[in-house]
Amino acid sequence: MQNTTRFNLFYTIAAILGIILVHEAWMGYQSIKPLAYSEFQTLIREGKVKEVIITRDEIRGELKYPDPPNRKYFRTTRVDNGLAEELQKL
């Protein structure tokens, strides 16, 4: 191989590794933080939830002001309203 071919190959490999590294860092930041249902209720009361999607089994959403160590998105297991009220009385 000529020197220019090795030189270009090195930069190509370095660029690919750099893209993979940035992608992994971004995906780690964007991953979903699991929350306890009670913590979710506290965030709702404090007005810290930007958006909520409710499905049959879970609640997913986005926080208004995520802390850097925490995640921007969250999910929690959906709890029946009657059960949630009962648990709050305890």
Side-chain angles (χ1 to χ4, degrees):
M1 266 200 221
Q2 295 177 355
N3 284 340
T4 58
T5 305
R6 260 189 264 147
F7 184 71
N8 291 335
L9 183 62
F10 171 75
Y11 277 117
T12 303
I13 292 172
I16 290 171
L17 290 175
I19 290 170
I20 291 171
L21 181 65
V22 168
H23 178 264
E24 289 299 316
W26 178 255
M27 293 307 292
Y29 177 74
Q30 291 294 325
S31 64
I32 298 172
K33 175 185 179 185
L35 290 178
Y37 187 75
S38 59
E39 189 176 351
F40 165 71
Q41 288 179 317
T42 302
L43 291 171
I44 289 287
R45 279 192 289 269
E46 293 174 353
K48 294 182 178 180
V49 176
K50 180 178 180 180
E51 182 180 309
V52 173
I53 299 169
I54 301 172
T55 64
R56 195 181 118 206
D57 298 327
E58 72 178 5
I59 299 171
R60 292 177 284 150
E62 182 178 349
L63 298 173
K64 286 183 182 177
Y65 313 107
D67 295 327
N70 295 333
R71 306 296 195 274
K72 183 177 182 179
Y73 299 100
F74 67 87
R75 72 173 171 78
T76 187
T77 303
R78 187 173 177 183
V79 177
D80 178 56
N81 287 338
L83 177 61
E85 289 174 8
E86 234 178 272
L87 291 173
Q88 284 182 340
K89 293 177 185 177
L90 296 176

